Every structure is written in structure tokens, then in C-alpha cells.
Amino acid sequence: MAAILGDPEALAAEVSRRAHHRAVETAEEAGRRAAAILEDAKQETETIRRQSAEEAQRQLAALLRRNAAHAELESKRHVIVLREAPIDRIWRAAEEKLRDLVQQPVYLDILKLCALRAARELGVSELVLAADLVGHQLLSPETLEQWSKEAGVLFHRAPEPAAVWGGLLATSGRLRYDATFPTQFGLAQATLRERVFQILSRETP
């Protein structure tokens, strides 16, 4: 290097050579960096593509689950509709018979059974009875006296009938026994609905 310091042409040539060498090194480094950047970009793109595919699969799976759940609910609703239709017809027929029973001579015997059951359930010495409009007229003093002797409980007729279409209410102070037809019929529906459906299912070919 010291030998060429006095030779401008040689010095220029050496500077040019070294500059070219550095340029080549710089270009190679830039190429390596560019390649690394491209590789990173490729991997990132692949990651994004893979994540997008996974997200799409998750969304598709979620959609399938929602559709399956909706289909199951619709199927259950359809089964319930098919199941309840014949049962509802049975309950309507039963209610009609109960309403007709209020007009039959045997209705007084039904009221007696209700009164005796109330006496057993409440376990008191006196009961006030209120029946529907028809039944209330049947609770004569003579009838209640006879019932009282049989039950060992003193029965009284309430001043006003109960606002029901059948059966009676029995009260003693704050104690109350609801033997009205609407209440008892509702309880029967709640407890016997499944049993009736099972019987219908066995009878269905």
C-alpha cells in the first residue's frame, strides 16, 4: 500500500478495486438480507394462511353445531306437538265429563267425598265449605249435619259459593284445602301426563 501512494493511477486502481469488493460484499449481504426477509414473509404468510384455514374450520364447526342444535330443538318440538295433541284431546274430554257431572244426581256424593277428604287432610274439628253455584245449593243444613256425624267434624256452609265450576273449598281459619275441580284437574294433568303418553305410545302401532 505504501508503494502505490506515490502512483496516482495505481492508487486509483486500488481504491476502485476495494470499492468494487465492498460493493460486491454489500450486494451479497443485501441479497442475503432480502432472502431472509422473503423467507420470513413466506413463513408469516403461511402462518396467516394456516390460521385463516383453522379459523374457517372453527367457524364451520361452530355453524354445524348451531345447525345441529337447532335441528334437535325442532325435532323435540315436533315430538312434543305430536305427543301433546292426543293427550290434550283426552283432557278436554275429561273436563267435559266433569262439567256434566255437576248437573248429575251423583254430584252430591262427589261433594261429600271432597268434604271428607278435606277433613282428613286438615285434621281440624270444624270446616267451612264453599262449593260452586250448583253444589252450594246442595249443601243444606240437613246434608251437612249428616256429613258431620259421619266425619266427626262440624261442617258449615260458607255464606257465598266459590267462584269455580265444580268441587268445593274447605277452610278452617287460615287453613285451606282446595278440592275444586279446576285445581284437582290441573294436578291430575301435571302428574298423569307422562303416564298417559306412555300408554298412548304402547297403543300406537
Side-chain angles (χ1 to χ4, degrees):
M1 183 68 178
I4 64 173
L5 288 177
D7 188 346
E9 293 184 1
L11 181 59
E14 179 63 18
V15 171
S16 177
R17 184 186 66 77
R18 292 191 178 188
H20 177 72
H21 180 70
R22 287 186 178 180
V24 171
E25 288 182 343
T26 301
E28 290 177 351
E29 178 64 21
R32 286 192 296 271
R33 290 182 179 180
I37 292 173
L38 289 175
E39 181 63 24
D40 290 343
K42 180 180 178 181
Q43 291 180 0
E44 185 175 354
T45 301
E46 183 62 28
T47 300
I48 293 174
R49 184 182 297 113
R50 184 170 58 252
Q51 290 176 346
S52 298
E54 292 174 353
E55 179 62 24
Q57 290 178 354
R58 284 195 294 269
Q59 291 180 1
L60 177 59
L63 178 61
L64 291 175
R65 287 194 298 270
R66 287 196 298 270
N67 288 342
H70 180 70
E72 183 178 359
L73 287 175
E74 283 298 312
S75 177
K76 289 182 178 180
R77 186 189 66 81
H78 184 63
V79 169
I80 291 174
V81 170
L82 293 178
R83 156 182 163 165
E84 296 297 328
I87 297 178
D88 287 341
R89 288 196 295 270
I90 291 175
W91 293 131
R92 286 196 297 271
E95 182 177 338
E96 289 178 3
K97 289 184 178 180
L98 281 176
R99 289 181 178 273
D100 291 341
L101 186 62
V102 173
Q103 305 297 330
Q104 303 300 320
V106 72
Y107 184 46
L108 181 59
D109 295 329
I110 301 299
L111 293 178
K112 177 182 177 181
L113 291 176
C114 292
L116 297 181
R117 184 186 303 169
R120 289 195 303 270
E121 292 292 332
L122 296 180
V124 294
S125 59
E126 292 188 36
L127 280 175
V128 177
L129 306 179
D132 62 284
L133 188 60
V134 173
H136 207 64
Q137 300 301 319
L138 300 175
L139 302 179
S140 65
E142 294 78 17
T143 296
L144 294 181
E145 182 181 358
Q146 180 183 351
W147 292 1
S148 296
K149 291 179 180 178
E150 293 183 25
V153 175
L154 187 58
F155 291 116
H156 304 280
R157 190 177 78 169
E160 299 295 333
V164 295
W165 50 264
L168 58 77
L169 287 170
T171 58
S172 178
R174 287 192 290 181
L175 296 178
R176 171 189 174 103
Y177 184 81
D178 191 340
T180 63
F181 284 0
T183 297
Q184 295 299 316
F185 186 64
L187 292 174
Q189 284 180 298
T191 57
L192 299 178
R193 181 175 295 274
E194 187 63 29
R195 190 181 304 173
V196 171
F197 174 66
Q198 291 174 357
I199 293 173
L200 290 176
S201 299
R202 289 197 298 267
E203 293 178 352
T204 302

